[in-house]
């Protein structure tokens, strides 16, 4: 007879349970710790989100019942579909000029012809002038989806009225030093078109040297005027063509109202190797008294070439009937002597500017600028054919600028001018030291 002994599983289960208990406890502890860790992480995320929301609410503008669409949009304020932005700068200048040139606050930054007058007056005195008139205020707008395109506008004013304005209109230095705003730019852009007043298409501001007395070098093209311009894409850059305001006179002594606008064009290339452009202008110069009309033109080449680090070289060369376009009307558009004799003779000139900008550090930089211009044609009634006693001018600028912030620039600049006398080998010299503080907003 076979005897069967039953297998008792309880001792085995107890043994297995006892052996596995530490592992189970460890697993449970691990799961609990993981749950606690995830919970803590979730709490941190919620707290960070609450802080972000609180910050967003505190910095957002409050909605008003009468202006429910007031919202911030980038650097501007959005009202309905239009974003409005404000800008400009305060520029305070101290000018020390040779030849007894105190730079009256009626036009403190001066013109090459006023420098030439100071150079020739025989005075060895240095005079001082202060001004804040180059300060500017600007307003820009952008409206989205205007017939499928963005519509942008820009208007800019400063306080540099013309030196020839009446004394009562330009203010004075006796008590108030008050001056009226002056329109610099006012234009709108839409679907490749520019309408209004801005810098002439005949110049490339990318090549403009960085000097404190901006635009006041001998030969640079620097004009703002009303125009109708079209911009189109071209290989490597863009092509711009414009009809611009015609003018062949000066300070109210216009020869005549012109029959046709100035035609300007510029082909611009911008890439990793710099900025390059070629520009041209075609002008109609006429005089009803002489019953004569002449078509004249000019060309300009410019470049801004990166060199070492952040340094760059800026170049511009211009030739032709440049007249008022170059050097802030250093020369007239026609031979004034020939005009008085009943003939219209466009005055050919040329100008060249070279500037090197060097960064000593991210905050410190300097520019060295050499600029020269000269009359090419022989003046028939010298020196009455031009606006002053000289037929060539040369300027040299050297400065040191400090910008601890993009909105703050302090600088000191030295300028030297040489004016070559007509029909002689002599020349007159002018010097200027300028200290400037520019604070943008």
């Amino acid at each position: 007879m076979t005897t069967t002994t039953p297998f008792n599983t309880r001792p085995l289960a107890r043994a297995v349970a006892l052996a596995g208990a530490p592992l189970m406890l460890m697993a449970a502890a691990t799961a609990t710790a993981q749950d606690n860790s995830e919970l803590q992480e979730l709490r941190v995320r919620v707290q960070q989100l609450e802080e972000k929301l609180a910050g967003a609410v505190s910095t957002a503008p409050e909605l008003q019942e009468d202006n429910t669409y007031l919202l911030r949009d980038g650097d501007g304020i959005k009202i309905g579909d239009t974003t409005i932005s404000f800008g400009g700068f305060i520029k305070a200048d101290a000018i020390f000029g040779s030849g007894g040139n105190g730079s009256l606050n009626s036009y403190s930054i001066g013109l090459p012809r006023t420098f030439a007058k100071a150079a020739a007056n025989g005075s060895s005195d240095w005079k001082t002038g202060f001004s804040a008139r180059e300060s500017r205020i600007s307003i820009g707008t952008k409206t989205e989806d205007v017939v499928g395109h963005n519509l942008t506008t820009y208007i800019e004013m400063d306080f540099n009225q013309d030196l020839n304005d009446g004394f009562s209109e330009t203010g004075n230095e006796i008590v108030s030093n008050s001056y009226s705003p002056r329109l610099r730019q006012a234009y709108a852009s839409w679907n490749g078109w520019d309408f209004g007043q801005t810098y002439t298409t005949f110049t490339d501001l990318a090549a403009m040297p960085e000097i404190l007395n901006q635009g006041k070098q001998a030969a640079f093209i620097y004009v703002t005027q009303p125009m109708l311009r079209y911009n189109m894409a071209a290989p490597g850059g863009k092509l711009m063509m414009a009809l611009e305001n015609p003018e062949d006179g000066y300070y109210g002594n216009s020869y005549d109202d012109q029959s046709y606008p100035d035609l300007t064009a510029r082909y611009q290339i911008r890439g990793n190797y710099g900025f390059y452009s070629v520009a041209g202008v075609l002008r109609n110069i006429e005089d009803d008294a002489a019953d004569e009309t002449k078509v004249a033109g000019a060309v300009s080449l410019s470049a801004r070439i990166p060199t070492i680090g952040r340094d760059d070289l800026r170049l511009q060369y211009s030739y032709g009937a440049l007249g008022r376009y170059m050097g802030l009307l250093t020369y007239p558009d026609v031979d004034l002597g020939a005009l008085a004799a009943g003939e219209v003779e466009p005055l050919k000139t040329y100008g060249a500017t070279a500037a090197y900008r060097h960064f000593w550090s991210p905050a410190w930089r300097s520019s060295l600028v050499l600029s020269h211009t000269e009359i090419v044609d022989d003046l028939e009634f010298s020196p009455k054919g031009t606006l002053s006693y000289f037929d060539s001018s040369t300027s040299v600028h050297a400065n040191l600028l400090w910008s601890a912030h993009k909105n703050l620039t302090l600088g000191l600049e030295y300028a030297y001018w040489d004016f070559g006398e007509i029909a002689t080998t002599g020349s007159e010299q002018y010097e200027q030291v300028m200290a400037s503080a520019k604070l943008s907003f």
Side-chain angles (χ1 to χ4, degrees):
M1 177 175 180
T2 303
T3 302
T4 303
T5 304
F7 181 75
N8 191 348
T9 59
R10 291 181 178 179
L12 179 60
R14 285 198 296 268
V16 172
L18 290 174
L23 297 176
M24 294 173 63
L25 290 174
M26 291 177 62
T30 301
T32 302
Q34 183 175 358
D35 291 342
N36 290 337
S37 176
E38 292 178 351
L39 181 61
Q40 182 64 26
E41 184 179 355
L42 180 60
R43 288 175 179 173
V44 171
R45 290 180 180 178
V46 171
Q47 183 178 359
Q48 291 175 346
L49 180 59
E50 288 176 347
E51 291 174 353
K52 290 181 179 180
L53 291 175
V57 173
S58 65
T59 57
E62 294 182 1
L63 296 180
Q64 303 175 7
E65 292 182 0
D66 60 344
N67 198 2
T68 57
Y69 295 100
L70 179 61
L71 298 171
R72 290 193 180 276
D73 184 4
D75 294 331
I77 298 174
K78 190 170 185 179
I79 303 176
D81 295 329
T82 300
T83 300
I84 303 176
S85 59
F86 303 89
F89 56 80
I90 302 298
K91 190 167 185 285
D93 299 319
I95 303 99
F96 310 92
S98 68
N101 179 24
S103 297
L104 292 175
N105 200 13
S106 58
Y107 205 32
S108 66
I109 54 178
L111 297 171
R113 292 196 318 280
T114 62
F115 297 157
K117 182 178 179 181
N121 72 1
S123 173
S124 60
D125 294 338
W126 283 67
K127 299 298 184 181
T128 301
F130 285 75
S131 178
R133 296 187 59 198
E134 198 179 338
S135 301
R136 299 180 190 175
I137 300 172
S138 63
I139 302 173
T141 71
K142 182 181 75 172
T143 305
E144 299 178 354
D145 194 18
V146 177
V147 196
H149 301 277
N150 289 338
L151 171 64
T152 61
T153 68
Y154 182 79
I155 185 168
E156 179 184 76
M157 296 174 290
D158 68 6
F159 306 88
N160 264 325
Q161 292 147 308
D162 195 281
L163 180 63
N164 289 272
D165 290 342
F167 180 82
S168 61
E169 298 176 359
T170 59
N172 61 78
E173 297 185 64
I174 299 172
V175 178
S176 65
N177 286 272
S178 56
Y179 302 90
S180 301
R182 180 189 71 157
L183 180 68
R184 281 183 52 82
Q185 299 188 74
Y187 68 95
S189 299
W190 177 81
N191 193 23
W193 291 92
D194 296 328
F195 310 85
Q197 177 168 311
T198 185
Y199 289 96
T200 176
T201 311
F202 188 51
T203 191
D204 187 356
L205 296 182
M208 174 172 283
E210 185 180 25
I211 62 175
L212 297 180
N213 213 346
Q214 196 56 270
K216 308 306 182 298
Q217 52 263 317
F220 203 83
I221 307 296
Y222 192 79
V223 173
T224 61
Q225 59 191 13
M227 68 182 68
L228 171 63
R229 179 166 63 198
Y230 185 67
N231 308 273
M232 68 185 75
K238 64 179 180 179
L239 175 65
M240 292 155 279
M241 296 183 294
L243 299 177
E244 303 191 12
N245 181 64
E247 176 60 58
D248 56 9
Y250 60 97
Y251 295 129
N253 297 314
S254 179
Y255 317 135
D256 286 288
D257 290 330
Q258 290 69 48
S259 300
Y260 306 101
D262 288 356
L263 175 62
T264 60
R266 177 157 57 95
Y267 175 45
Q268 183 182 77
I269 299 176
R270 299 195 173 196
N272 295 331
Y273 300 99
F275 303 64
Y276 303 88
S277 69
V278 55
V281 58
L282 193 63
R283 314 173 60 194
N284 183 71
I285 299 176
E286 59 191 68
D287 179 60
D288 287 345
D291 192 22
E292 188 173 6
T293 299
K294 292 288 183 67
V295 176
V299 295
S300 181
L301 305 174
S302 60
R304 178 174 169 178
I305 306 169
T307 56
I308 302 172
R310 298 177 61 187
D311 294 5
D312 60 66
L313 176 65
R314 307 182 185 197
L315 306 169
Q316 186 183 77
Y317 176 81
S318 307
Y319 177 87
L322 296 166
R324 65 184 178 86
Y325 279 94
M326 182 180 65
L328 301 176
L329 190 58
T330 295
Y331 307 116
D333 295 283
V334 299
D335 185 329
L336 298 181
L339 184 66
E343 300 178 9
V344 175
E345 294 294 339
L347 192 62
K348 293 187 183 66
T349 58
Y350 79 88
T353 301
Y356 191 84
R357 185 174 68 163
H358 173 67
F359 280 82
W360 304 101
S361 72
W364 292 87
R365 64 189 182 276
S366 295
S367 287
L368 178 61
V369 185
L370 175 62
S371 188
H372 176 79
T373 181
E374 192 168 336
I375 296 176
V376 176
D377 293 334
D378 292 330
L379 297 173
E380 295 187 18
F381 298 88
S382 175
K384 297 180 180 180
T386 185
L387 298 174
S388 188
Y389 65 86
F390 62 93
D391 58 0
S392 68
S393 69
T394 303
S395 66
V396 179
H397 290 74
N399 59 38
L400 178 63
L401 309 180
W402 175 63
S403 296
H405 188 273
K406 65 178 182 179
N407 293 86
L408 171 65
T409 299
L410 306 179
L412 185 66
E413 182 172 278
Y414 170 77
Y416 175 87
W417 290 76
D418 183 88
F419 299 95
E421 297 176 343
I422 297 174
T424 73
T425 58
S427 63
E428 303 289 346
Q429 290 76 41
Y430 172 78
E431 296 176 272
Q432 185 184 82
V433 177
M434 182 174 183
S436 180
K438 180 178 177 182
L439 300 92
S440 304
F441 57 89

